[in-house]
Amino acid sequence: MLHIKGRVLVGPDTGDAAGDVRDELWVVDGRITFERPAGARDIRLVEGWVLPGLVDAHCHVGLDAHGAVDDSTSEKQALTDRDAGALLLRDAGSPADTRWIDDREDLPRIIRAGRHIARTKRYIRNYAHEIEPEDLVAYVAAEARRGDGWVKLVGDWIDRETGDLGACWPRGAVEAAIAEAHRLGARVTAHCFAEESLAPLVEAGIDCIEHATGLTEETIPLFAERGVAIVPTLVNIATFPRLALGGEVRFPRWADHMRRLHARRYETVRAAYDAGIPIYTGTDAGGGLAHGLVGQEVAELVKAGIPARDALSAATWGAQSWLGRPGLTEGASADLVVYDADPRADVRVLTTPRRVVLRGRVVG
């Protein structure tokens, strides 16, 4: 049994909701209660500032820069996220079978989007199903059944004929595919860097866009009107100049485009926030980036101009609600992180958790 004492941030504490901050909670049989247990013994006291387990809403467990990895590497990736306080992961595409992680009480919970679905020779080798538009509906249906309520498309990638980023799918194909996913109870998200792929996907009914660096003053109102979420992955967007440098000899137009998207990344995210577009934290870990960066991603959102409490919500209360998870509520699984200082005052404390509690056990 645990007694968690200090300042328990069960909600954003905006002043318009009662009970957003509690002084204590208990963990009994792995679950949260705000009622002091009668006759409790052998209680371990944990003190500090408490948040729900952090959410990395865009990462890849079971994947590295070359494709699927073995179970040992997947385990290390999941443990790295856990130790950073990320206890709920939305795996935004992986060719590896990581279902065995669900049986491990010491590893984060994962919501899977199945395997990426990309156009032939229009994505990173060994990552995706690479198909043509006539097969898109069938593959989306298969991944909707294989995943945990999400499907991941590659919406744009470098087109070798034009030498720049280009949309991968005709409108009719994505409309039919998204409708099929929704029929099967799955939401659809898509990798999109550039501008031109966004409006057709949103108009086709997509639920989320990953990266969304191509948002403009023309498409931002469309996202806001339709309630389409974005996961900006700013810690990944920081790599664009390096990527551009590596590809500019062969694809100078693409390299210039990537640099321009990078240069306005903060302005883009702030404009999306100001328009009321739902924003959630994701790191894109597992491809070329290390796991365990969710705290840095929250700090990037703040650097982009998002108020600290809303940036925290993008990684905690808001993200859990978006993904259908309960957070710090009576009877919920005790998945929480304890810090030495108030994360609302300085989000940088997220990178150094004092304690990590997963399924009611202190694991870090």
Side-chain angles (χ1 to χ4, degrees):
M1 188 178 298
L2 299 177
H3 182 194
I4 312 293
K5 189 174 181 181
R7 301 298 282 167
V8 181
L9 306 178
V10 301
D13 188 29
T14 58
D16 57 3
D20 280 352
V21 180
R22 302 287 191 99
D23 293 326
E24 56 190 347
L25 63 79
W26 286 264
V27 177
V28 181
D29 295 329
R31 298 201 169 271
I32 291 169
T33 180
F34 293 99
E35 300 292 331
R36 185 181 186 90
R41 297 180 179 178
D42 299 323
I43 299 176
R44 178 176 178 178
L45 179 64
V46 177
E47 296 184 276
W49 293 83
V50 182
L51 282 174
L54 304 183
V55 177
D56 188 338
H58 183 133
C59 65
H60 306 277
V61 177
L63 183 71
D64 70 6
H66 306 289
V69 299
D70 59 22
D71 288 353
S72 176
T73 303
S74 297
E75 178 187 44
K76 291 176 183 177
Q77 292 173 339
L79 286 170
T80 299
D81 283 323
R82 183 202 74 183
D83 293 344
L87 305 185
L88 178 61
L89 313 176
R90 187 179 62 140
D91 191 319
S94 176
D97 181 1
T98 60
R99 288 288 174 189
W100 58 271
I101 288 177
D102 294 347
D103 298 324
R104 288 278 297 272
E105 294 291 311
D106 61 329
L107 295 180
R109 303 173 193 274
I110 301 183
I111 296 172
R112 298 170 183 82
R115 188 172 185 175
H116 304 76
I117 302 173
R119 193 76 177 264
T120 308
K121 296 183 179 179
R122 294 282 299 278
Y123 199 48
I124 303 168
R125 185 179 298 179
N126 300 323
Y127 275 35
H129 297 297
E130 296 189 21
I131 62 168
E132 288 303 294
E134 58 267 25
D135 296 320
L136 185 59
V137 171
Y139 273 83
V140 163
E143 293 307 302
R145 296 185 177 99
R146 178 172 175 255
D148 298 317
W150 284 91
V151 176
K152 170 73 175 294
L153 306 179
V154 176
D156 62 33
W157 196 250
I158 190 167
D159 183 334
R160 288 167 173 78
E161 292 185 4
T162 65
D164 198 359
L165 295 167
C168 292
W169 309 103
R171 183 185 294 263
V174 292
E175 287 176 347
I178 291 170
E180 178 66 3
H182 289 169
R183 186 185 72 82
L184 294 170
R187 289 185 276 183
V188 182
T189 191
H191 160 107
C192 293
F193 286 159
E195 296 83 355
E196 68 175 285
S197 60
L198 296 178
L201 287 168
V202 173
E203 290 167 354
I206 204 160
D207 303 283
C208 181
I209 294 292
E210 312 298 315
H211 317 300
T213 44
L215 279 170
T216 65
E217 60 183 14
E218 287 77 28
T219 50
I220 283 173
L222 179 64
F223 273 67
E225 176 188 346
R226 303 290 181 95
V228 177
I230 65 170
V231 182
T233 66
L234 287 169
V235 292
N236 176 51
I237 305 311
T239 68
F240 276 18
R242 175 175 56 82
L243 297 175
L245 182 63
E248 65 183 343
V249 172
R250 189 176 179 188
F251 300 114
R253 287 182 59 194
W254 169 82
D256 178 66
H257 197 172
M258 294 289 278
R259 290 189 179 102
R260 285 185 282 112
L261 293 171
H262 173 265
R264 64 180 177 88
R265 67 197 186 283
Y266 294 139
E267 178 184 346
T268 300
V269 172
R270 177 65 201 217
Y273 171 81
D274 288 342
I277 294 173
I279 297 173
Y280 303 105
T281 51
T283 65
D284 207 3
L289 284 181
H291 284 256
L293 302 178
V294 68
Q296 294 181 37
E297 180 66 17
V298 176
E300 282 289 287
L301 291 179
V302 172
K303 191 172 181 180
I306 295 180
R309 295 191 190 202
D310 289 336
L312 283 174
S313 184
T316 55
W317 317 290
Q320 288 180 328
S321 177
W322 180 57
L323 294 173
R325 298 305 168 99
L328 300 180
T329 57
E330 183 74 29
S333 177
D335 301 337
L336 54 92
V337 192
V338 183
Y339 300 94
D340 288 323
D342 186 352
R344 299 169 302 179
D346 186 350
V347 299
R348 290 176 296 180
V349 305
L350 297 181
T351 62
T352 54
R354 174 192 281 185
R355 291 285 183 267
V356 176
V357 178
L358 177 61
R359 297 177 175 89
R361 297 171 53 200
V362 178
V363 294

